[in-house]
Short mmCIF file of all heavy atoms in Angstrom, two decimals:
data_model
loop_
_atom_site.label_atom_id
_atom_site.label_comp_id
_atom_site.label_asym_id
_atom_site.label_seq_id
_atom_site.Cartn_x
_atom_site.Cartn_y
_atom_site.Cartn_z
N ASP A 328 7.70 6.88 -15.42
CA ASP A 328 7.35 7.38 -14.04
C ASP A 328 6.15 8.39 -14.20
O ASP A 328 6.29 9.39 -14.91
CB ASP A 328 8.53 8.08 -13.34
CG ASP A 328 9.56 7.13 -12.92
OD1 ASP A 328 9.26 5.95 -12.69
OD2 ASP A 328 10.74 7.47 -12.79
N ILE A 329 5.12 8.12 -13.50
CA ILE A 329 3.98 9.04 -13.51
C ILE A 329 3.72 9.55 -12.07
O ILE A 329 3.44 8.81 -11.14
CB ILE A 329 2.63 8.24 -13.99
CG1 ILE A 329 2.93 7.57 -15.32
CG2 ILE A 329 1.49 9.23 -14.03
CD1 ILE A 329 1.80 6.67 -15.79
N VAL A 330 3.95 10.85 -11.93
CA VAL A 330 3.79 11.48 -10.57
C VAL A 330 2.28 11.61 -10.36
O VAL A 330 1.63 12.41 -11.03
CB VAL A 330 4.52 12.85 -10.54
CG1 VAL A 330 4.24 13.48 -9.21
CG2 VAL A 330 5.98 12.63 -10.72
N PHE A 331 1.77 10.90 -9.37
CA PHE A 331 0.30 11.04 -9.08
C PHE A 331 0.13 12.33 -8.27
O PHE A 331 -0.87 13.11 -8.52
CB PHE A 331 -0.11 9.85 -8.20
CG PHE A 331 -0.75 8.73 -9.01
CD1 PHE A 331 -0.42 8.66 -10.40
CD2 PHE A 331 -1.60 7.87 -8.46
CE1 PHE A 331 -0.98 7.63 -11.16
CE2 PHE A 331 -2.15 6.84 -9.22
CZ PHE A 331 -1.86 6.76 -10.60
N ALA A 332 0.91 12.52 -7.27
CA ALA A 332 0.68 13.74 -6.39
C ALA A 332 1.91 14.20 -5.72
O ALA A 332 2.76 13.43 -5.32
CB ALA A 332 -0.38 13.40 -5.31
N HIS A 333 2.04 15.55 -5.70
CA HIS A 333 3.11 16.20 -4.90
C HIS A 333 2.36 17.37 -4.24
O HIS A 333 2.11 18.39 -4.87
CB HIS A 333 4.21 16.71 -5.83
CG HIS A 333 5.46 16.95 -5.00
ND1 HIS A 333 6.60 17.45 -5.59
CD2 HIS A 333 5.72 16.86 -3.66
CE1 HIS A 333 7.55 17.60 -4.67
NE2 HIS A 333 7.02 17.26 -3.52
N ASP A 334 2.05 17.21 -2.95
CA ASP A 334 1.07 18.12 -2.22
C ASP A 334 1.81 18.72 -1.05
O ASP A 334 2.35 17.95 -0.20
CB ASP A 334 -0.19 17.26 -1.82
CG ASP A 334 -1.24 18.15 -1.29
OD1 ASP A 334 -1.02 18.96 -0.34
OD2 ASP A 334 -2.37 18.07 -1.77
N HIS A 335 1.73 20.01 -0.93
CA HIS A 335 2.23 20.70 0.25
C HIS A 335 1.09 21.40 0.94
O HIS A 335 0.30 22.08 0.25
CB HIS A 335 3.32 21.74 -0.15
CG HIS A 335 4.47 21.21 -0.84
ND1 HIS A 335 5.45 20.39 -0.27
CD2 HIS A 335 4.88 21.33 -2.16
CE1 HIS A 335 6.35 20.04 -1.11
NE2 HIS A 335 5.99 20.54 -2.31
N ALA A 336 0.94 21.20 2.22
CA ALA A 336 -0.22 21.78 2.94
C ALA A 336 0.23 22.53 4.23
O ALA A 336 1.18 22.15 4.89
CB ALA A 336 -1.18 20.65 3.35
N LEU A 337 -0.50 23.54 4.52
CA LEU A 337 -0.39 24.36 5.75
C LEU A 337 -1.77 24.51 6.36
O LEU A 337 -2.70 24.87 5.67
CB LEU A 337 0.22 25.71 5.48
CG LEU A 337 0.25 26.69 6.62
CD1 LEU A 337 1.15 26.21 7.76
CD2 LEU A 337 0.71 28.11 6.12
N GLY A 338 -1.90 24.21 7.64
CA GLY A 338 -3.19 24.28 8.21
C GLY A 338 -3.13 24.74 9.70
O GLY A 338 -2.04 24.66 10.38
N ILE A 339 -4.26 25.14 10.24
CA ILE A 339 -4.36 25.53 11.64
C ILE A 339 -5.63 24.81 12.19
O ILE A 339 -6.62 24.69 11.50
CB ILE A 339 -4.45 27.02 11.79
CG1 ILE A 339 -4.30 27.37 13.31
CG2 ILE A 339 -5.75 27.62 11.22
CD1 ILE A 339 -4.04 28.85 13.55
N ALA A 340 -5.52 24.24 13.37
CA ALA A 340 -6.60 23.50 14.06
C ALA A 340 -6.87 24.11 15.39
O ALA A 340 -5.90 24.34 16.19
CB ALA A 340 -6.28 22.02 14.14
N TRP A 341 -8.14 24.37 15.69
CA TRP A 341 -8.49 24.92 16.99
C TRP A 341 -9.52 23.96 17.68
O TRP A 341 -10.59 23.73 17.13
CB TRP A 341 -9.14 26.26 16.76
CG TRP A 341 -9.72 26.94 17.99
CD1 TRP A 341 -9.25 26.80 19.28
CD2 TRP A 341 -10.86 27.83 18.07
NE1 TRP A 341 -10.07 27.55 20.17
CE2 TRP A 341 -11.01 28.19 19.43
CE3 TRP A 341 -11.68 28.37 17.12
CZ2 TRP A 341 -12.06 29.03 19.84
CZ3 TRP A 341 -12.73 29.20 17.53
CH2 TRP A 341 -12.87 29.52 18.91
N MET A 342 -9.20 23.49 18.75
CA MET A 342 -10.05 22.62 19.55
C MET A 342 -11.00 23.50 20.41
O MET A 342 -10.70 23.97 21.48
CB MET A 342 -9.26 21.65 20.46
CG MET A 342 -10.10 20.69 21.20
SD MET A 342 -9.14 19.58 22.25
CE MET A 342 -8.32 18.59 20.99
N VAL A 343 -12.19 23.76 19.88
CA VAL A 343 -13.12 24.63 20.53
C VAL A 343 -13.79 23.94 21.69
O VAL A 343 -14.22 24.64 22.62
CB VAL A 343 -14.17 25.15 19.49
CG1 VAL A 343 -13.52 25.99 18.52
CG2 VAL A 343 -14.90 23.98 18.88
N LEU A 344 -13.88 22.59 21.69
CA LEU A 344 -14.37 21.81 22.78
C LEU A 344 -13.52 20.50 22.84
O LEU A 344 -12.82 20.23 21.85
CB LEU A 344 -15.85 21.43 22.53
CG LEU A 344 -16.89 22.57 22.59
CD1 LEU A 344 -18.25 22.05 22.11
CD2 LEU A 344 -16.98 23.18 23.97
N PRO A 345 -13.55 19.79 23.93
CA PRO A 345 -12.78 18.58 24.00
C PRO A 345 -13.09 17.59 22.87
O PRO A 345 -12.23 16.76 22.53
CB PRO A 345 -13.09 18.01 25.38
CG PRO A 345 -13.48 19.15 26.18
CD PRO A 345 -14.15 20.10 25.24
N ASN A 346 -14.35 17.64 22.32
CA ASN A 346 -14.70 16.76 21.27
C ASN A 346 -15.08 17.45 19.98
O ASN A 346 -15.81 16.97 19.15
CB ASN A 346 -15.90 15.85 21.70
CG ASN A 346 -17.13 16.68 22.02
OD1 ASN A 346 -17.01 17.92 22.27
ND2 ASN A 346 -18.28 16.06 22.09
N ALA A 347 -14.59 18.70 19.75
CA ALA A 347 -14.92 19.46 18.57
C ALA A 347 -13.70 20.28 18.13
O ALA A 347 -13.06 20.94 18.92
CB ALA A 347 -16.11 20.41 18.80
N VAL A 348 -13.39 20.18 16.81
CA VAL A 348 -12.19 20.86 16.25
C VAL A 348 -12.60 21.62 14.99
O VAL A 348 -13.26 21.05 14.12
CB VAL A 348 -11.09 19.84 15.96
CG1 VAL A 348 -9.82 20.56 15.44
CG2 VAL A 348 -10.75 19.02 17.18
N LEU A 349 -12.18 22.86 14.91
CA LEU A 349 -12.28 23.64 13.67
C LEU A 349 -10.93 23.69 13.00
O LEU A 349 -9.93 23.84 13.60
CB LEU A 349 -12.69 25.05 14.01
CG LEU A 349 -14.15 25.32 14.42
CD1 LEU A 349 -14.31 26.74 14.91
CD2 LEU A 349 -15.13 25.07 13.27
N LYS A 350 -10.94 23.55 11.64
CA LYS A 350 -9.70 23.51 10.87
C LYS A 350 -9.84 24.35 9.62
O LYS A 350 -10.93 24.41 9.00
CB LYS A 350 -9.31 22.12 10.48
CG LYS A 350 -9.05 21.17 11.65
CD LYS A 350 -8.84 19.75 11.12
CE LYS A 350 -8.93 18.70 12.30
NZ LYS A 350 -8.93 17.40 11.78
N ILE A 351 -8.74 24.91 9.20
CA ILE A 351 -8.64 25.51 7.90
C ILE A 351 -7.27 25.19 7.30
O ILE A 351 -6.28 25.20 8.06
CB ILE A 351 -8.92 27.06 7.91
CG1 ILE A 351 -8.92 27.64 6.49
CG2 ILE A 351 -7.89 27.75 8.80
CD1 ILE A 351 -9.46 29.03 6.44
N GLU A 352 -7.24 24.80 6.06
CA GLU A 352 -5.98 24.35 5.46
C GLU A 352 -5.87 24.77 4.01
O GLU A 352 -6.91 24.80 3.34
CB GLU A 352 -5.83 22.80 5.63
CG GLU A 352 -6.95 22.05 4.89
CD GLU A 352 -7.07 20.64 5.44
OE1 GLU A 352 -7.53 20.47 6.55
OE2 GLU A 352 -6.73 19.69 4.63
N GLY A 353 -4.68 25.05 3.54
CA GLY A 353 -4.43 25.33 2.16
C GLY A 353 -3.43 24.40 1.60
O GLY A 353 -2.45 23.95 2.26
N HIS A 354 -3.61 23.97 0.32
CA HIS A 354 -2.77 23.05 -0.38
C HIS A 354 -2.29 23.57 -1.72
O HIS A 354 -3.04 24.21 -2.47
CB HIS A 354 -3.52 21.69 -0.61
CG HIS A 354 -3.95 21.00 0.60
ND1 HIS A 354 -3.44 19.79 1.02
CD2 HIS A 354 -4.97 21.28 1.49
CE1 HIS A 354 -4.03 19.42 2.09
NE2 HIS A 354 -4.98 20.25 2.42
N ARG A 355 -1.01 23.29 -1.99
CA ARG A 355 -0.48 23.48 -3.33
C ARG A 355 -0.12 22.13 -3.88
O ARG A 355 0.61 21.35 -3.31
CB ARG A 355 0.79 24.37 -3.28
CG ARG A 355 0.45 25.84 -2.82
CD ARG A 355 1.71 26.69 -2.91
NE ARG A 355 2.10 26.90 -4.33
CZ ARG A 355 1.64 27.89 -5.11
NH1 ARG A 355 0.76 28.77 -4.63
NH2 ARG A 355 2.03 27.97 -6.37
N PHE A 356 -0.68 21.86 -5.06
CA PHE A 356 -0.67 20.45 -5.59
C PHE A 356 -0.16 20.49 -7.03
O PHE A 356 -0.45 21.36 -7.81
CB PHE A 356 -2.12 19.91 -5.51
CG PHE A 356 -2.30 18.52 -6.04
CD1 PHE A 356 -2.23 17.47 -5.06
CD2 PHE A 356 -2.38 18.22 -7.37
CE1 PHE A 356 -2.35 16.16 -5.56
CE2 PHE A 356 -2.58 16.95 -7.82
CZ PHE A 356 -2.51 15.87 -6.93
N LYS A 357 0.57 19.41 -7.38
CA LYS A 357 0.82 19.09 -8.77
C LYS A 357 0.94 17.58 -8.95
O LYS A 357 1.37 16.88 -8.05
CB LYS A 357 2.13 19.81 -9.25
CG LYS A 357 3.36 19.45 -8.47
CD LYS A 357 4.58 20.24 -8.98
CE LYS A 357 5.83 19.93 -8.18
NZ LYS A 357 7.00 20.70 -8.71
N GLY A 358 0.43 17.09 -10.07
CA GLY A 358 0.45 15.69 -10.30
C GLY A 358 -0.72 15.29 -11.26
O GLY A 358 -1.63 16.10 -11.44
N PHE A 359 -0.61 14.10 -11.78
CA PHE A 359 -1.61 13.65 -12.77
C PHE A 359 -2.89 13.11 -12.13
O PHE A 359 -3.76 12.67 -12.83
CB PHE A 359 -1.00 12.63 -13.70
CG PHE A 359 -0.06 13.19 -14.70
CD1 PHE A 359 1.34 13.14 -14.50
CD2 PHE A 359 -0.51 13.87 -15.80
CE1 PHE A 359 2.19 13.69 -15.40
CE2 PHE A 359 0.36 14.41 -16.77
CZ PHE A 359 1.75 14.35 -16.55
N SER A 360 -2.99 13.18 -10.83
CA SER A 360 -4.26 12.76 -10.16
C SER A 360 -5.22 13.89 -10.00
O SER A 360 -6.22 13.79 -9.21
CB SER A 360 -3.97 12.07 -8.80
OG SER A 360 -3.38 12.95 -7.89
N VAL A 361 -4.93 15.03 -10.64
CA VAL A 361 -6.03 16.01 -10.69
C VAL A 361 -7.23 15.42 -11.41
O VAL A 361 -7.05 14.45 -12.09
CB VAL A 361 -5.54 17.37 -11.45
CG1 VAL A 361 -4.43 18.04 -10.64
CG2 VAL A 361 -5.13 17.01 -12.87
N ASP A 362 -8.39 15.99 -11.21
CA ASP A 362 -9.64 15.40 -11.72
C ASP A 362 -9.92 15.78 -13.20
O ASP A 362 -11.07 15.95 -13.60
CB ASP A 362 -10.79 15.81 -10.84
CG ASP A 362 -10.65 15.28 -9.43
OD1 ASP A 362 -9.85 14.38 -9.17
OD2 ASP A 362 -11.32 15.82 -8.52
N THR A 363 -8.86 16.03 -14.00
CA THR A 363 -9.00 16.33 -15.38
C THR A 363 -7.96 15.49 -16.13
O THR A 363 -6.80 15.36 -15.58
CB THR A 363 -8.74 17.82 -15.68
OG1 THR A 363 -9.74 18.58 -14.93
CG2 THR A 363 -8.91 18.13 -17.13
N TYR A 364 -8.28 14.94 -17.30
CA TYR A 364 -7.31 14.15 -17.99
C TYR A 364 -6.20 15.01 -18.61
O TYR A 364 -6.48 15.99 -19.29
CB TYR A 364 -8.00 13.37 -19.11
CG TYR A 364 -7.06 12.63 -20.02
CD1 TYR A 364 -6.35 11.47 -19.59
CD2 TYR A 364 -6.79 13.09 -21.33
CE1 TYR A 364 -5.47 10.83 -20.38
CE2 TYR A 364 -5.92 12.46 -22.14
CZ TYR A 364 -5.23 11.36 -21.66
OH TYR A 364 -4.34 10.69 -22.51
N TYR A 365 -4.99 14.59 -18.43
CA TYR A 365 -3.82 15.18 -19.09
C TYR A 365 -2.97 14.01 -19.58
O TYR A 365 -2.68 13.06 -18.81
CB TYR A 365 -3.01 16.05 -18.15
CG TYR A 365 -3.63 17.37 -17.79
CD1 TYR A 365 -4.45 17.51 -16.67
CD2 TYR A 365 -3.34 18.52 -18.57
CE1 TYR A 365 -5.02 18.75 -16.36
CE2 TYR A 365 -3.91 19.75 -18.24
CZ TYR A 365 -4.74 19.81 -17.17
OH TYR A 365 -5.29 21.04 -16.87
N PRO A 366 -2.49 14.12 -20.82
CA PRO A 366 -1.51 13.09 -21.28
C PRO A 366 -0.25 13.09 -20.40
O PRO A 366 0.23 14.15 -20.03
CB PRO A 366 -1.21 13.52 -22.73
CG PRO A 366 -2.40 14.34 -23.18
CD PRO A 366 -2.82 15.06 -21.92
N VAL A 367 0.34 11.94 -20.15
CA VAL A 367 1.44 11.81 -19.22
C VAL A 367 2.73 12.45 -19.82
O VAL A 367 3.70 12.60 -19.09
CB VAL A 367 1.70 10.40 -18.81
CG1 VAL A 367 0.49 9.90 -18.02
CG2 VAL A 367 1.98 9.51 -19.99
N ASN A 368 2.74 12.80 -21.10
CA ASN A 368 3.96 13.46 -21.64
C ASN A 368 3.90 14.94 -21.51
O ASN A 368 4.82 15.64 -21.99
CB ASN A 368 4.10 13.06 -23.16
CG ASN A 368 2.89 13.44 -24.00
OD1 ASN A 368 1.89 13.85 -23.47
ND2 ASN A 368 3.02 13.26 -25.29
N MET A 369 2.90 15.46 -20.86
CA MET A 369 2.73 16.87 -20.61
C MET A 369 3.39 17.29 -19.33
O MET A 369 3.64 16.42 -18.45
CB MET A 369 1.25 17.31 -20.64
CG MET A 369 0.62 17.25 -22.01
SD MET A 369 -1.06 17.90 -21.89
CE MET A 369 -0.73 19.62 -21.49
N PRO A 370 3.70 18.59 -19.11
CA PRO A 370 4.17 18.99 -17.77
C PRO A 370 3.18 18.68 -16.72
O PRO A 370 1.92 18.57 -16.98
CB PRO A 370 4.35 20.51 -17.95
CG PRO A 370 4.54 20.76 -19.35
CD PRO A 370 3.67 19.69 -20.09
#
Side-chain angles (χ1 to χ4, degrees):
D328 288 335
I329 304 172
V330 176
F331 265 24
H333 198 183
D334 188 307
H335 302 290
L337 171 65
I339 191 167
W341 175 30
M342 184 179 292
V343 294
L344 293 171
N346 62 342
V348 182
L349 286 171
K350 300 174 192 171
I351 185 167
E352 60 199 72
H354 296 251
R355 295 186 66 89
F356 181 95
K357 59 183 178 181
F359 286 101
S360 63
V361 295
D362 297 342
T363 301
Y364 172 74
Y365 286 90
V367 295
N368 59 353
M369 292 187 62

